[in-house]
Amino acid sequence: MERLWFITNPGSGSTTKPKCDALEAVFEERGLTLVGRTEFPAEDLPKGTALTRKKVDTVVLFAGDGTINTTLCALASWKGSFLILPGGTMNLLAKSLHDTLDPKAIIEAAHDETTRVAIPYVEAGAHRGFVGLILGPATAWFRAREAAREGAIRKLFSAAHVAWNRTFGGSGIRIAGVPSLKDKYQAVFVRPEGGELHVAAVDARDWTSIVQLGWEWLTGDWVAAHAVSECLTKELKAKGNKPVLALFDGEPVSLAPGTAIKAGMSRKAFIATREELG
């Protein structure tokens, strides 16, 4: 790790300019060369060809899950390395790769680290989810979550009202390819686990589950939502002949009917500082 491109998202709330400036100072202290910096989404992400031409060996990501997802998908064919720093709400990728959530400590540990690991992902067509994928009516809550992040109170209540009606208005999603999931569900959470998919289906019929699901969405920790049915599978699809709204690491995507959802694995491109991964 010598020549870096630094990608941040000031809108995530955890990556303020003073924090980014402090990390750039760490780069300088360690003798690392900062070739370029991108503030996404105000600025376009760099192209892989441009990074190669400028001899960048590592892209450092200090952002939330959505920005990390967009960057990793955009640079999927680039041959360099990625250093994931915790700059979001959940920071699940950072937790899986590092022993600490202190960005400065991670950079210092990663400077001379030669360990590169592959990470699993959920794949559907051209889309990937490195943290997870969500299907079903509960995906409507993403609009309420964005409004909460923006501090738009009126927009938040309006979006939450729509999401509540869609999630608990009697509709649901049916899944093909998982025999144990026979019912209609408000939300289906799909998480990559090795070469398989961990599927958790939520059937929130009681008030406790309803309140919990909505609260976890608004606070960001959707993985903690209660699941009543869990299983492992290699592949699944949403039943029906209409497009399905899906959230890949929190980012909305419309999937065409019958799109296969599979497990995938990246190349060994991620710098890991956890002792057990060395």
Side-chain angles (χ1 to χ4, degrees):
M1 189 172 80
E2 297 179 352
R3 294 176 61 82
L4 315 179
W5 194 284
F6 192 31
I7 298 177
T8 67
N9 184 343
S12 74
S14 303
T15 56
T16 60
K17 189 176 187 305
K19 289 183 179 180
C20 292
D21 291 344
L23 293 184
E24 290 188 22
V26 177
F27 298 153
E28 186 174 355
E29 290 171 8
R30 303 293 296 189
L32 299 166
T33 300
L34 184 59
V35 178
R37 175 176 174 177
T38 299
E39 290 190 356
F40 183 82
E43 299 174 334
D44 292 336
L45 292 171
K47 303 292 186 182
T49 52
L51 295 177
T52 300
R53 185 173 62 253
K54 295 181 180 182
K55 299 182 179 180
V56 173
D57 57 67
T58 306
V59 166
V60 180
L61 276 156
F62 184 43
D65 295 328
T67 299
I68 291 173
N69 178 288
T70 301
T71 302
L72 295 182
C73 289
L75 297 176
S77 61
W78 180 60
K79 302 303 181 183
S81 299
F82 298 94
L83 178 63
I84 307 297
L85 302 179
T89 304
M90 297 170 63
N91 302 311
L92 293 183
L93 273 183
K95 289 176 182 178
S96 70
L97 295 167
H98 311 296
D99 290 312
T100 177
L101 289 181
D102 179 357
K104 180 177 183 293
I106 292 174
I107 293 169
E108 292 173 346
H111 185 189
D112 300 316
E113 182 57 67
T114 59
T115 301
R116 300 291 187 276
V117 299
I119 60 174
Y121 54 78
V122 181
E123 183 176 35
H127 309 288
R128 293 178 179 179
F130 298 89
V131 173
L133 163 69
I134 305 176
L135 300 165
T139 53
W141 284 94
F142 90 89
R143 293 187 177 87
R145 183 177 176 181
E146 292 305 308
R149 286 176 171 176
E150 295 169 3
I153 304 302
R154 184 174 299 178
K155 184 178 177 182
L156 166 61
F157 281 105
S158 176
H161 178 72
V162 172
W164 182 282
N165 289 338
R166 290 185 181 178
T167 305
F168 309 112
S171 63
I173 189 169
R174 293 185 181 275
I175 298 298
V178 187
S180 61
L181 300 184
K182 301 177 181 179
D183 299 321
K184 294 171 67 176
Y185 300 95
Q186 278 73 45
V188 175
F189 299 84
V190 185
R191 176 170 53 84
E193 190 169 298
E196 295 184 293
L197 301 175
H198 177 274
V199 184
V202 177
D203 184 13
R205 303 297 179 184
D206 61 275
W207 281 98
T208 301
S209 297
I210 289 174
V211 171
Q212 182 190 19
L213 184 59
W215 175 252
E216 301 298 357
W217 259 105
L218 291 178
T219 56
D221 193 9
W222 53 264
V223 171
H226 179 64
V228 297
S229 301
E230 297 183 80
C231 61
L232 290 172
T233 187
K234 293 287 187 180
E235 181 179 325
L236 61 88
K237 298 178 182 179
K239 291 184 178 180
N241 55 8
K242 295 182 179 180
V244 175
L245 178 63
L247 300 181
F248 289 82
D249 296 346
E251 297 301 303
V253 170
S254 180
L255 293 181
T259 299
I261 299 169
K262 306 177 181 179
M265 185 70 69
S266 75
R267 62 183 178 84
K268 292 184 177 181
F270 295 83
I271 298 175
T273 61
R274 291 186 71 92
E275 289 188 11
E276 60 267 34
L277 297 178

